[in-house]
Amino acid sequence: MTNIFSLFGALALLYSSVMAFSTFDETHALLRMLNSKNATVILFFIAGFFFLPFVITLTQLGLNGDQGKSLVEGEPSLESKERHKQLAEHCPTWQYVWKGSITSIGVIMIAFTLFGNRIDPSCAFFSAISFLSGYWFVFVYPTARKLFG
């Protein structure tokens, strides 16, 4: 079963790299086709295909902040925080990948504002969420499943 998740993660990482390259380069004919308005919807569904299993497995393992009861409305539960700490001990790079993926989306949006059409923010977003999912399934999910599943 782990091989299926690793293969899925590898495909998500491959898709992420194509989207990252497509974010900045529109000179290649294939990449111009990916940056067309008609392709954006298809690329969105492909990114969703890679991202949805990540969200589902994250929730199933109790790492989603909305799971359980918290002391303050809208804050992650204590159990979820504890699981994140435990996962960070076993996979220390995960917290950097998580924060880096979220930060990269903001940086790309700022770059798009500054440089205009030379950067495609939708491809950057698709790249970030696919990378997050791919990294999760290749490197983190097997450990998280052993710890919490």
Side-chain angles (χ1 to χ4, degrees), residues 65-136:
D66 293 337
Q67 296 297 312
K69 296 181 180 178
S70 70
L71 301 175
V72 179
E73 182 86 21
E75 296 240 346
S77 69
L78 296 176
E79 180 183 348
S80 178
K81 283 184 179 180
E82 201 55 45
R83 286 179 179 228
H84 278 282
K85 286 179 186 175
Q86 193 175 6
L87 185 60
E89 290 173 4
H90 289 85
C91 294
T93 58
W94 170 243
Q95 59 189 341
Y96 302 113
V97 169
W98 171 259
K99 291 174 185 174
S101 294
I102 302 303
T103 303
S104 71
I105 294 169
V107 169
I108 289 295
M109 293 304 174
I110 292 169
F112 176 70
T113 304
L114 296 175
F115 301 114
N117 291 335
R118 287 186 270 168
I119 295 174
D120 185 354
S122 60
C123 286
F125 177 74
F126 302 152
S127 175
I129 65 173
S130 298
F131 179 78
L132 187 64
S133 180
Y135 189 87
W136 168 259

